[in-house]
Each structure stands twice: as structure tokens, then as C-alpha cells.
Amino acid sequence: MVGNFHPIRVQTMTTTDTMDTIATVDQTIRCIEAGAELVRITAPSRREAENLLNIKNELRKRGYDTPLVADIHFTPNAAEIAARIVEKVRVNPGNYVDKKKFELIEYTDADYVEEIERIRERFIPLVKICKEYGTAMRIGTNHGSLSDRIMSRYGDTPIGMVESAMEFLRIARNQSYHNVVLSMKSSNPQVMVQAYRLLVRTMFDEFGECYPLHLGVTEAGDGEDGRIKSAIGIGSLLEDGLGDTIRVSLTEDPELEIPVCRDMVKRYQQQGNGNEQSTIPAVVKIPYSPFEYKRRETFAVNNIGGHHVPVVIADLSKLPSIGPKDLQSIGYTYDEVTDKWTISDTAADYVFTGHTILNFPLPGTLKVIVYPATWLLAEDKTKYIPIFDDRGYAKAEFKSNEINFVMLDCFTTANGLPDDVNAGYLDVVANDPAVVLCLSSLHSHPMTAVRRMFIDLMNRTIQNPVVLIVDSNWHTTDEHLIHYATEAGALLLDGMGEGVCFGMTQESYKMQIANFRQVSGRNYLQSQSVEQFINNTAFSVLQATRTRISKTEYISCPSCGRTLFDLQETTAKIRAVTNHLKGVKIAIMGCIVNGPGEMADADFGYVGSGPGKITLYKGKEVVKRNVPSEIAVEELVNLLKENDVWIASQQILQNI
Ligand code: SF4
């Protein structure tokens, strides 16, 4: 059961060849054992669709009755076979009837109606089979594979994605078929979140009701980045109260996706029945559009706010002492011999040390945030900045003329109501040109509480820049990643936040240190310390929300039965040679059938085009066809060089 307040279901998709019955059954069982409540299997042609029966029978024989979903692209015939066998079929409205030619065509209204009629003819037989067999259907739009018709009329926009699904949904409803789930996936969390929200509004406006939603970020990649991207997209919507089933698409074994899904879902299972939201005042009218990105207007205090990219504040206050070596974890490497600092692209902009004044000269761009009493003792006030609580700032005798951080708790208790005590202090700091607000909340729905405070700021035209303070009291690395990505990502996607500062409660911090000591607990992580992990996460969240680009972006498909090479190994190889190319987007896609369409806005594409063959793309354009896979990574590097985006890795180090 999906939707209508049933628990949020978690699912994944097999990566085996669907014709290999035993391999597919074994992998499906591993996914089910990990907790998958639905398992999707690709059916690229009639043969695979027919083989779903053998797979299903073998699973039932082994005692597994988890619903199976057939994944269909381009082949209505396969869908019609699969719909008689499995519990659900997924169709992609971008390619179910239309063959994509990447053509922009002028459609008159009459042409458009004619095309819809063509879809009806091809789609209604499937709807009828689904009705007869009690089979469910997902109308699954992908940002990267919209039909030429939709692209010509709407472009690759959220509204185009919504319309793509609505064309099919209207036909299904017209046939009185309602066993439907919808999805609006994109590899860009911002597009994906806007499209789902728009879909919900469109369904309510048109039908007065809403069908269940399946949430996912496509081609999210692997490791930390894949988890963060997924959590930002899926988590933001779950925070909105949207989403009935989820899939995290990682370029990893499918059973590894399930614990990540479960970590996302359990955040809402633990938050009770919603009554605790009552301390957050209701919103009458939101002063921003949830359907498009627009950064909140702020003035700049130092390098925070205004036109500056969001800053990262590293919290080193839990270290027993701080020496030059400790700054390495946040992007500053000190060379004793030359007495110089090397700054990486992911170097924190500020560091919070609590009560500690550092006893060594700081790298040029780094500033230190300390408590007010410590700030008074600091000799170089250009390097040290005080952080107050709101009451402390209101009453402080000494403040910085240039920049002060002021912490504000948002609606943790009913005392946080706008016309209450906090609001009194808010008046003191409002539009003070030397104040950066630091918003956080101990409310059980902290993101919602902080977002509510942003609404107050906007309604009252308070334009101080804001740093999002997110503390995590979770236990595992994935739980922390998901927490930071959801709490900060959901706000950044709506243009809220001019900086981030992530931290952990004392207990979580100790636990995370212990996790890092066990090599097995670190698995995919590249971080060497808790501080490095948090710093990397902060930059990854900014990158995934596209608010600050500091590294290469990878769009890699999760792989499936169509995949023509080892995606995990190849992704790792490509990452190893290109991960210093800040801002370049590289797609690594398993097949030529869906890959080019689904690699979205990647700058370069590495796509499997046949056994042992790779086709390289620049944007959507093929530049090297059928390159032998042994030399394909090298050829990709050559392509990057030919296009002047390649730099040797040592060139990026910057000495000061
Ligand atoms: S792009 Fe990847 S996941 Fe999508 S169909 Fe091709 S191989 Fe499968």
C-alpha cells in the first residue's frame, strides 16, 4: 500500500541482466533482505518482459512475495506483457510513445492535439491491461528525457516535466484508472523539488486531489556526494510533507541504497504525529515562490551575504587544542619549510574556536569566531570576530563595528512566537549593518522552524545575512550526512542562507570519532577526521544546491540490466583523474538508449554504446563514437584538454 498516509515505502532497482534469472533473483533477495519494499527490474524488450515471469516464480518459490516493478522505456509491447506479470509497471512519458530525436519543432495547437491522440491510442491498451490485472503504474518523468514535443513547447523546465506526466495522467483518469504513482526525477535537486511541488499544485488545481508520489534524484552518483544530493532532493520534499515512496539512486550495489532510504524515512517516523509543530506559527502567505529559485535579498557584512557565495564556518571548538596541522582538515595545509599555507578549493572561510585564541599566525583569508569575552582579549580584532546570543548582543557594551555573529533560536518553544521575547531581540539586530544572524532551532522540526523565521525576516524586510547552524545528534555517518543535507539543503534550495555551520552534539562527536577509528565504519568516506568530514559535507551541500561550486560534479547512473560496463569501477577511475576540475559536470552513463537523454545538463558525457565501446559527448553532441573502453578514460581527458577545461592537478594549489 502506497500513499494516503501509509508508511513511506523504500525501493530500489536491480542492476543485473534481466535475462539472467538467477542473478536477478539473488540480487532482488539481497535488496529485500536489506529492507526493500518494492524492487524494480528493467524490461527493455519483450524477451526481458516475458522473463519477469520466471523471476517472479523463482522468488515466490523461495518464499519472497515483495511486489516487483517493471521498468519500461520506449517499448509499449514490453509494458503490456509485464503488466500481466508484475505488480507495477513504470513508464516514462518522455519516451513511451515518442522517439526522441532532440529536435525542436514548432507545434500548432492542432498538431499538439494530434500528438496527444497518438499517445492515447498507444497508452490506453496498457491502462486497460493494468485495470484488468489490478496492476499499479508509475508515470515516471525524467528531467533528462522529456519528449521533443514537451521540449519544444515548455523547454526542459519543471513545468515541462509536470505537463509530460499530466498528459498521461489525464488519459488514465479518463479511463477511470487511478492506481497511479507519479515521479518527477532530475539529477539537479533544485529542478526536482520545484517539479514535484508544481505537480502537486497542478493536480490539486485540476483534479482537486493528488496521486501518491515516488521521490528520487536521478544519477546522483556514489559515496558522500550521491547521498547528499539524494538527501537534499528527497529530504526537502519529505520536509514539505510530500512523498509516499522513495528510491536513492546510487552508483553502488542496489542493496546499499536501502539503508540510506531507511535513514531518510525514519527521521519522520520519530517525529510523531505533527502536533509538536504547533509552536511554529501558521503562515498566511509565503513571501517567496516555492516553484522557482530566487535568493533572498540581503546586504553584505564583510564577505557574507549580498552577492557573495555562501560561506562555510568550521567548528573546531571540540578539539582539545588547535595547531596549524588541525587546519589541514578544513582546507589549509601548512608547510614548515617554506612557512607557507596552501589553500584548497574547499577551505572553510571562518573557524569557530569557542574560547580559544590561536597561538600561530593565521592563513591570509581565514578569520576566527570566538565568544565575546575571548574576543575582548584578542589583539588582532581584524582576525577575530565575536559571536553573541541575541540577548547578549542587545545588552553588550563592546561589539565589533564591522561584523558580529548573533545567534537566534527559532521557535524551539512557544516563546519563539514572533511578537514574543525573541522578536524583541530581533528588533535590536534587524538591519544592523554589522550583524550576521545565525539561525538554529531545537524544535523537533528544525528546518520548518528556521524557514518560518526566514518568512518573518522577509515579511519585515530584515535583510541581514543568515548563517544556517545545523547540529546533528544522530549516530552514524550516513545519518549525519542526511541530517545536514536535509536541514540546510531544503533552505538553500529556496534561496535562504548566506552561510552554513555544521556541528555535532558532544555525544555524537565522540561516537563519530570512534566510527572513524574503525576502518570498516568509514567505507566510502575520504575524510580523515570528524572536522574534515563536516567540512567536506558543508561544501558538498553547497555544491549540490548549486549555491557554491568548489569541485567537479559527477552525474552517474545507478546502472541496470542495460548497463554495458562496470559503472562503479569506471566512475572511480574517472573521478580519480578529474576530481580537481572545479565546476565541470561529467556524466557517466551505462547505455546509449537512455544515457544521453538522462545526463541532463552535464558538460561532458561518457556513455556505453556497445560491449567494450564508449561514446563521448560534449553537452548533447557526440564527439567521439565507439571508443574502445581500454582507452576511453584517456580519450575523455583528451576531450577535456581540447575544450580547455583541463588543468594539471598541481596547478590548482594556490600559495600565499
Ligand atoms: S542510463 Fe544507466 S540506469 Fe539508465 S537505462 Fe541506461 S544503464 Fe540503465
Side-chain angles (χ1 to χ4, degrees):
M1 300 289 265
V2 172
N4 200 22
F5 302 104
H6 286 291
I8 301 164
R9 306 296 181 189
V10 301
Q11 56 174 293
T12 183
M13 182 168 174
T14 55
T15 56
T16 48
D17 177 354
T18 308
M19 292 311 292
D20 188 340
T21 306
I22 295 305
T24 305
V25 166
D26 288 346
Q27 194 178 58
T28 303
I29 290 174
R30 286 199 294 279
C31 296
I32 295 169
E33 296 289 338
E37 294 168 290
L38 293 98
V39 178
R40 185 154 47 111
I41 301 171
T42 188
S45 74
R46 298 175 62 121
R47 260 168 24 104
E48 285 86 356
E50 277 156 8
N51 201 47
L52 291 172
L53 185 60
N54 295 327
I55 293 168
K56 184 174 171 177
N57 287 343
E58 182 64 22
L59 281 166
R60 302 295 178 259
K61 203 170 91 192
R62 296 200 205 173
Y64 293 92
D65 60 1
T66 302
L68 300 178
V69 186
D71 194 61
I72 308 289
H73 294 269
F74 297 105
T75 45
N77 292 345
E80 288 166 18
I81 295 166
R84 294 178 166 95
I85 299 170
V86 292
E87 286 74 11
K88 184 173 166 189
V89 287
R90 177 270 168 126
V91 297
N92 179 342
N95 59 29
Y96 189 72
V97 177
D98 298 286
K99 301 282 172 274
K100 197 163 173 57
K101 300 191 186 104
F102 298 100
E103 281 175 359
L104 277 185
I105 304 159
E106 277 291 317
Y107 285 91
T108 63
D109 285 351
D111 295 338
Y112 209 88
V113 170
E114 202 179 300
E115 291 248 329
I116 300 292
E117 193 48 43
R118 202 164 53 81
I119 293 173
R120 282 177 60 83
E121 275 169 29
R122 207 65 194 89
F123 183 52
I124 286 176
L126 176 65
V127 170
K128 287 191 169 151
I129 294 166
C130 287
K131 277 179 78 174
E132 184 186 341
Y133 285 79
T135 309
M137 182 190 295
R138 168 153 70 93
I139 301 174
T141 300
N142 274 8
H143 182 217
S145 57
L146 297 172
S147 67
D148 290 339
R149 179 183 58 265
I150 290 287
M151 288 289 284
S152 302
R153 188 163 271 210
Y154 302 96
D156 63 342
T157 57
I159 193 165
M161 294 170 69
V162 170
E163 196 47 37
S164 172
M166 290 297 287
E167 288 178 351
F168 280 65
L169 184 58
R170 288 183 194 112
I171 298 169
R173 275 179 71 89
N174 191 261
Q175 297 293 308
S176 306
Y177 173 65
H178 303 284
N179 206 355
V180 176
V181 176
L182 293 111
S183 62
M184 298 275 117
K185 296 193 186 182
S186 168
S187 63
N188 178 345
Q190 203 168 70
V191 171
M192 171 255 187
V193 166
Q194 289 166 4
Y196 276 100
R197 287 173 175 169
L198 201 55
L199 173 68
V200 170
R201 195 183 72 174
T202 307
M203 285 195 283
F204 270 116
D205 284 353
E206 197 166 323
F207 310 137
E209 60 185 351
C210 187
Y211 289 82
L213 301 177
H214 165 73
L215 306 184
V217 174
T218 49
E219 287 82 40
D222 58 355
E224 289 157 283
D225 288 345
R227 284 159 175 77
I228 287 170
K229 234 187 200 187
S230 299
I232 289 173
I234 296 171
S236 298
L237 290 162
L238 292 176
E239 288 285 327
D240 283 354
L242 303 178
D244 304 284
T245 165
I246 67 169
R247 187 228 172 161
V248 171
S249 301
L250 298 177
T251 309
E252 298 178 19
D253 293 339
E255 59 269 31
L256 299 182
E257 295 178 354
I258 299 300
V260 186
C261 291
R262 289 165 73 96
D263 282 345
M264 285 184 197
V265 167
K266 76 182 177 205
R267 294 165 52 82
Y268 305 94
Q269 289 161 345
Q270 287 181 1
Q271 283 187 339
N273 58 12
N275 286 340
E276 57 284 60
Q277 291 223 32
S278 57
T279 57
I280 301 176
V283 180
V284 181
K285 187 171 181 300
I286 52 172
Y288 64 95
S289 166
F291 309 117
E292 61 192 345
Y293 178 79
K294 187 165 177 276
R295 204 169 160 186
R296 182 180 72 98
E297 275 185 38
T298 57
F299 54 79
V301 182
N302 208 323
N303 64 343
I304 309 178
H307 65 273
H308 296 284
V309 293
V311 295
V312 171
I313 300 176
D315 178 359
L316 297 191
S317 65
K318 291 193 177 65
L319 293 177
S321 64
I322 306 170
K325 276 204 163 51
D326 294 304
L327 298 192
Q328 196 165 340
S329 60
I330 58 163
Y332 296 87
T333 307
Y334 181 62
D335 181 350
E336 275 182 37
V337 180
T338 58
D339 188 27
K340 280 188 171 174
W341 291 93
T342 303
I343 307 175
S344 79
D345 280 331
T346 52
D349 305 283
Y350 294 81
V351 58
F352 171 64
T353 62
H355 299 289
T356 305
I357 291 181
L358 302 179
N359 60 3
F360 55 90
L362 292 167
T365 53
L366 187 64
K367 297 201 169 158
V368 185
I369 304 168
V370 288
Y371 290 123
T374 309
W375 176 71
L376 286 174
L377 300 176
E379 279 173 21
D380 185 354
K381 298 256 183 314
T382 63
K383 283 280 183 190
Y384 283 79
I385 302 164
I387 183 164
F388 299 87
D389 63 20
D390 50 349
R391 178 197 294 254
Y393 186 76
K395 303 203 156 116
E397 206 178 322
F398 299 102
K399 306 167 184 176
S400 164
N401 292 331
E402 314 256 305
I403 171 168
N404 303 273
F405 290 90
V406 178
M407 293 183 288
L408 209 65
D409 173 73
C410 307
F411 309 110
T412 292
T413 64
N415 285 340
L417 290 168
D419 56 354
D420 211 308
V421 62
N422 279 357
Y425 294 124
L426 188 57
D427 284 340
V428 175
V429 294
N431 292 325
D432 179 333
V435 167
V436 176
L437 292 172
C438 298
L439 298 188
S440 65
S441 180
L442 294 174
H443 193 278
S444 55
H445 296 267
M447 194 289 292
T448 318
V450 173
R451 185 163 64 188
R452 182 64 184 83
M453 184 60 85
F454 270 108
I455 289 173
D456 273 358
L457 297 183
M458 289 183 193
N459 284 339
R460 297 171 61 182
T461 334
I462 297 174
Q463 297 187 338
N464 301 68
V466 168
V467 171
L468 308 171
I469 308 283
V470 181
D471 273 330
S472 172
N473 63 359
W474 291 90
H475 298 150
T476 70
T477 307
D478 273 0
E479 287 169 347
H480 292 305
L481 280 178
I482 291 165
H483 184 74
Y484 297 134
T486 304
E487 297 293 328
L491 295 162
L492 291 163
L493 282 187
D494 278 330
M496 300 169 189
E498 286 66 48
V500 295
C501 179
F502 296 161
M504 280 182 200
T505 58
Q506 198 66 41
E507 190 204 348
S508 297
Y509 182 77
K510 278 192 203 146
M511 227 179 262
Q512 192 62 30
I513 289 177
N515 277 347
F516 270 60
R517 286 205 189 108
Q518 302 162 1
V519 175
S520 61
R522 288 191 22 214
N523 50 53
Y524 56 81
L525 286 175
Q526 291 163 16
S527 313
Q528 301 300 317
S529 67
V530 179
E531 284 71 24
Q532 189 178 17
F533 161 67
I534 292 178
N535 192 61
N536 288 350
T537 305
F539 277 97
S540 298
V541 168
L542 296 181
Q543 172 106 7
T545 52
R546 303 204 176 181
T547 50
R548 179 170 176 176
I549 304 300
S550 55
K551 51 189 181 176
T552 326
E553 182 162 342
Y554 298 96
I555 298 160
S556 60
C557 80
S559 88
C560 72
R562 290 182 192 263
T563 311
L564 292 161
F565 56 89
D566 186 331
L567 251 159
Q568 293 183 35
E569 200 190 305
T570 310
T571 304
K573 239 192 244 172
I574 293 175
R575 190 186 274 277
V577 291
T578 60
N579 68 4
H580 60 290
L581 301 178
K582 177 175 162 179
V584 180
K585 292 193 222 92
I586 300 176
I588 305 143
M589 311 298 284
C591 76
I592 199 92
V593 185
N594 288 328
E598 299 197 358
M599 61 197 189
D601 57 353
D603 302 313
F604 298 92
Y606 179 107
V607 180
S609 48
K613 295 276 183 275
I614 303 299
T615 290
L616 299 177
Y617 286 72
K618 181 178 177 220
K620 298 269 181 226
E621 185 195 332
V622 175
V623 281
K624 297 187 185 184
R625 208 181 286 276
N626 293 331
V627 179
S629 56
E630 305 79 52
I631 57 159
V633 174
E634 210 180 306
E635 282 297 308
L636 174 67
V637 171
N638 288 337
L639 179 62
L640 298 171
K641 287 179 181 165
E642 285 156 27
N643 284 278
D644 293 334
V645 294
W646 178 263
I647 38 173
S649 52
Q650 60 271 32
Q651 272 175 252
I652 61 167
L653 300 176
Q654 174 197 347
N655 286 335
I656 60 158

